[in-house]
Amino acid sequence: MPVSFCETGVGRTFLLLPTLKTATIRRLSLLACALLLSWSACTSTRPVPDGPVRREITDDAGRRVSVPVPVNRVISLAPNLTEIVFAIGAGNRLVGRTSYCDFPAEAKAVAEVGDTLQPSLEKIVALQPQVVLISTASQLEVFTNQLQSQNIAVFVTDPRDLEGVFRTVDQIGRIVGQPQQAELLVQKLRERTQAVEKAVTGKPPVRVFYQVSGEPLYTIGRDAFVTDLIRRAGGISVTADVPGAWPKYSNESALAAKPEAIILPTGGSMGAANASVTEALRQSPAALTGRVYKINDDHLARPGPRSVDGLEAMARALHPEAFK
Amino acid sequence: MSSTASGFVNTMARQNRVTLRKTVISCLGLTGALMLAIVLMSLIGSEPLPARASLCALASFGTSACGLSRDQFDILFQIRLPRILLAAAVGGSLATAGAGYQALLRNPLAEPYLLGISNGAAVGTMIALVFFGANEWTRPVLAFTGALLATFAVYRLARGRAGATPERLILAGVIVTTFLSSVIVFVTTLMDATRIRSFTFWLLGDLSGTSKALLPVAITVAVVGTVALTMNARSLNLLMLGERDAFDLGVEVGRVRIVVFVVASLLVGSSVAASGSVGYVGLVVPHLARLSLGSDNRISIPSAALGGALFVIVADTVARTIIAPRELPVGAITALIGAPLFIYLLKRA
């Protein structure tokens, strides 16, 4: 016998609807809406906004930088940062470097984006990096804003001393997802540093003049990275209290400082420049006793893993008897 | 001879005696001031020296140390005095060159920097540094060549149908200056970061790199150049009337022009090769000389030379002591003093 719709359960619910109170209807319809929406969300064809996991790291300029995880495309805009990236085994992720980034040899195969002072924004964007590493020594603050407007994360490094270098290695390790390799590298560098410091403990610090260039005469000041290296190598820079990082120095004051040793950063990417002591220091105790030491500029001017090479070279020069 | 004619000749003779006396007095006065400045400024520097002992050592011309220690003696005679003498040579050269250009071109704005001559000399020096770095004699030679080439470029550009009018000249000068500045910037960008810093400093005027061999050259050029231009001062005076009129009065305009251009290029070349581009000296000092001593070139050219020497000595003392033991480029100080001074001069004129 056909049962009318109205006699079925659903039918009776429908018949019942007009008799329900408004409030109940409202509640029921809200529930229905909620259920409908969540169901559609689960099965919607519109993609969820793609959210790769992002990590926040504070850089040396105090900015909180949000970097994606994992990072596969990095550009380095300073030679020391390129060396660090390769040293922690992430060289295959480097897609861009400056024309000054010449170490290690594998770095030369990476695409060039210009020099440290004037890199090409177009080339950088075309390489589609996820992170760009810059050094404040390159004065790129203006540049940073342009990169950020292209949604490229910019990470600023500014190591002022050897501890700062270790911190930079750690930070870059975390950015490229190689924290263990970074930690291993820092550990090895620390061991070597401590060995040097131990060897020169107790020895009177040698008064050093660091000649950045001869004519005009430039040296290192209070804020220079090398000042810390000299201190750890058992020396004291005679210009350690001069304000600034690379002051143009007076010839008279250089002569009056009477340094016991002179360090000439030369060679490496600098070539044959700065290979002789400036005129004003030719009669200094250092020059007269032959304590003029030429050290590879790349080991001293680039705050990176090779800075420890520079540290060892200086320590050996200043305190040869400690390293027999 | 009629009485009016002899009266005229007497007046001219008296005029010349007056001028001669005025020249001698002003030159002696300025020379005295220069000597005083050399002595006083050599007592000032980033390292303190005992005043009495230093004066005694200076008076003995370096034969006696007068109690100065070895280092102090070296500072005084190997570093400070050569630097002060170089400052005098550079200041004198640039001021004389400026005076010469202003007289020849009848243009108060004519000076080595604005006309592009300094930049021409700087490009020459840069070529010498980059390609012949080891041999320091190539620097003044190539600087002189660069200055001369820039001079011809400016003069050629400025010469229109009406001759080199003041406006065309300044325009030509600005064109040549900016073009050569771009060349300098271009070469600078090819250098590495460390050299850029030191090179930029040098470009702004740096008297700290005193080469023992080139200092006598700079002094000789300054003296010879000033004398050469002063000998042509009478012709330059007549040229003030205009080239046509001067020619009618017997001035060999072409010869005078070549002499002034060559001598001025020598002066600018030797200065820039030694110390980079020290600006405003060639502009401000000749004006000061003319304002205080009159427009007669026989007085104003040698006075400008001595005044320029004084000006740069004082400016350099400021540059090397104000942030001691660090240094500023002397060109920065001459600009800071020279620019307001020039504005003041403009207002008075």
Side-chain angles (χ1 to χ4, degrees), chain A residues 211 213-214 264 266 272-279 282 292 294:
Chain A
Q211 180 181 302
S213 87
L264 294 175
T266 182
N274 198 36
S276 59
V277 176
T278 189
E279 181 89 36
R282 297 262 167 90
V292 176
K294 294 188 200 165

Side-chain angles (χ1 to χ4, degrees), chain A residues 96-156:
Chain A
R97 59 164 179 120
T98 75
S99 45
Y100 292 122
C101 301
D102 54 7
F103 189 89
E106 297 90 339
K108 298 197 193 158
V110 176
E112 277 186 32
V113 297
D115 65 32
T116 33
L117 293 173
Q118 299 284 339
S120 160
L121 181 62
E122 283 176 21
K123 281 222 185 84
I124 291 177
V125 172
L127 288 165
Q128 296 176 322
Q130 294 162 298
V131 182
V132 172
L133 305 170
I134 76 176
S135 157
T136 52
S138 323
Q139 300 151 7
L140 289 179
E141 284 83 11
V142 169
F143 199 67
T144 310
N145 296 333
Q146 287 178 303
L147 285 175
Q148 278 172 178
S149 66
Q150 302 282 333
N151 283 320
I152 297 174
V154 176
F155 192 85
V156 177

Side-chain angles (χ1 to χ4, degrees), chain B residues 23-238:
Chain B
T23 313
V24 168
I25 291 176
S26 56
C27 283
L28 277 178
L30 280 170
T31 310
L34 186 60
M35 294 293 142
L36 192 64
I38 291 178
V39 166
L40 281 179
M41 298 301 151
S42 61
L43 297 177
I44 305 174
S46 61
E47 292 298 311
L49 291 183
R52 196 164 294 188
S54 308
L55 284 169
C56 162
L58 283 169
S60 73
F61 289 99
T63 49
S64 149
C66 288
L68 289 173
S69 74
R70 180 66 204 271
D71 281 346
Q72 290 172 329
F73 190 83
D74 281 346
I75 288 179
L76 186 58
F77 285 96
Q78 304 276 18
I79 298 182
R80 251 185 231 175
L81 209 48
R83 180 167 175 158
I84 291 174
L85 292 175
L86 181 66
V90 165
S93 301
L94 292 173
T96 308
Y101 286 131
Q102 283 161 22
L104 179 71
L105 304 168
R106 295 185 303 285
N107 191 321
L109 284 179
E111 71 119 8
Y113 183 74
L114 281 174
L115 288 179
I117 322 290
S118 291
N119 273 352
V123 171
T125 314
M126 274 172 53
I127 294 177
L129 280 171
V130 171
F131 293 106
F132 307 101
N135 184 354
E136 60 182 5
W137 289 95
T138 56
R139 273 182 254 166
V141 169
L142 283 175
F144 165 59
T145 316
L148 210 52
L149 288 173
T151 308
F152 283 132
V154 172
Y155 194 69
R156 263 310 175 72
L157 270 175
R159 225 168 30 158
R161 266 177 291 123
T165 64
E167 296 81 19
R168 280 187 74 97
L169 194 68
I170 292 303
L171 259 173
V174 167
I175 292 170
V176 171
T177 309
T178 41
F179 172 71
L180 289 173
S181 286
S182 321
V183 171
I184 292 174
V185 166
F186 174 69
V187 176
T188 314
T189 51
L190 296 176
M191 297 177 172
D192 62 74
T194 343
R195 282 185 73 180
I196 286 179
R197 194 184 300 116
S198 54
F199 188 71
T200 313
F201 192 93
W202 176 84
L203 269 180
L204 290 169
D206 169 37
L207 286 162
S208 66
T210 323
S211 150
K212 293 288 154 42
L214 289 181
L215 176 61
V217 172
I219 297 179
T220 313
V221 168
V223 171
V224 167
T226 308
V227 168
L229 281 184
T230 312
M231 282 181 358
N232 285 282
R234 201 167 279 185
S235 307
L236 286 170
N237 283 343
L238 288 172

Side-chain angles (χ1 to χ4, degrees), chain B residues 232-253:
Chain B
N232 285 282
R234 201 167 279 185
S235 307
L236 286 170
N237 283 343
L238 288 172
L239 268 168
M240 300 270 212
L241 301 168
E243 289 190 5
R244 206 63 212 283
D245 293 332
F247 183 73
D248 289 340
L249 284 168
V251 175
E252 299 166 44
V253 177

Side-chain angles (χ1 to χ4, degrees), chain A:
Chain A
M1 179 159 11
V3 177
S4 79
F5 174 69
C6 299
E7 287 171 47
T8 59
V10 177
R12 253 184 270 185
T13 316
F14 268 95
L15 283 172
L16 269 172
L17 271 175
T19 66
L20 290 174
K21 295 240 174 77
T22 332
T24 324
I25 294 180
R26 220 181 280 136
R27 271 191 227 119
L28 275 174
S29 46
L30 271 172
L31 180 62
C33 286
L35 287 170
L36 259 168
L37 273 173
S38 57
W39 175 75
S40 70
C42 287
T43 60
S44 168
T45 51
R46 226 167 42 89
V48 173
D50 191 48
V53 180
R54 293 190 82 89
R55 178 190 291 136
E56 281 217 341
I57 305 184
T58 311
D59 70 8
D60 287 345
R63 301 156 58 242
R64 289 201 63 74
V65 183
S66 168
V67 296
V69 173
V71 164
N72 292 315
R73 303 181 67 82
V74 180
I75 287 187
S76 153
L77 290 183
N80 62 316
L81 300 174
T82 303
E83 293 190 18
I84 293 177
V85 169
F86 273 92
I88 59 175
N92 54 349
R93 286 178 236 198
L94 197 67
V95 297
R97 59 164 179 120
T98 75
S99 45
Y100 292 122
C101 301
D102 54 7
F103 189 89
E106 297 90 339
K108 298 197 193 158
V110 176
E112 277 186 32
V113 297
D115 65 32
T116 33
L117 293 173
Q118 299 284 339
S120 160
L121 181 62
E122 283 176 21
K123 281 222 185 84
I124 291 177
V125 172
L127 288 165
Q128 296 176 322
Q130 294 162 298
V131 182
V132 172
L133 305 170
I134 76 176
S135 157
T136 52
S138 323
Q139 300 151 7
L140 289 179
E141 284 83 11
V142 169
F143 199 67
T144 310
N145 296 333
Q146 287 178 303
L147 285 175
Q148 278 172 178
S149 66
Q150 302 282 333
N151 283 320
I152 297 174
V154 176
F155 192 85
V156 177
T157 67
D158 184 20
R160 297 280 179 94
D161 52 22
L162 206 50
E163 272 305 313
V165 171
F166 299 153
R167 192 180 65 241
T168 302
V169 173
D170 264 330
Q171 286 169 329
I172 295 183
R174 279 191 289 145
I175 290 175
V176 299
Q178 306 265 66
Q180 297 94 337
Q181 288 88 332
E183 208 182 295
L184 207 58
L185 175 64
V186 169
Q187 202 181 330
K188 283 209 204 100
L189 293 175
R190 252 191 232 282
E191 278 167 21
R192 287 167 61 194
T193 307
Q194 277 159 0
V196 166
E197 287 175 330
K198 189 154 158 251
V200 301
T201 328
K203 309 227 184 292
V206 178
R207 293 165 47 80
V208 176
F209 184 87
Y210 187 95
Q211 180 181 302
V212 174
S213 87
E215 274 185 30
L217 183 63
Y218 272 89
T219 183
I220 49 172
R222 198 174 44 203
D223 303 330
F225 170 74
V226 188
T227 307
D228 178 54
L229 282 185
I230 291 178
R231 188 185 54 82
R232 289 174 193 258
I236 176 87
S237 163
V238 297
T239 51
D241 50 1
V242 177
W246 313 103
K248 158 90 176 67
Y249 205 61
S250 144
N251 287 340
E252 295 176 19
S253 301
L255 193 154
K258 294 219 264 265
E260 298 167 318
I262 295 176
I263 293 187
L264 294 175
T266 182
S269 54
M270 232 173 123
N274 198 36
S276 59
V277 176
T278 189
E279 181 89 36
L281 287 172
R282 297 262 167 90
Q283 303 294 321
S284 59
L288 294 174
T289 54
R291 294 199 75 179
V292 176
Y293 306 108
K294 294 188 200 165
I295 299 184
N296 189 335
D297 179 59
D298 294 346
H299 294 187
L300 297 172
R302 299 183 182 181
R306 290 199 291 170
S307 303
V308 179
D309 295 352
L311 171 68
E312 288 169 347
M314 281 203 291
R316 261 175 238 279
L318 297 178
H319 296 281
E321 69 289 347
F323 293 91
K324 284 285 185 308

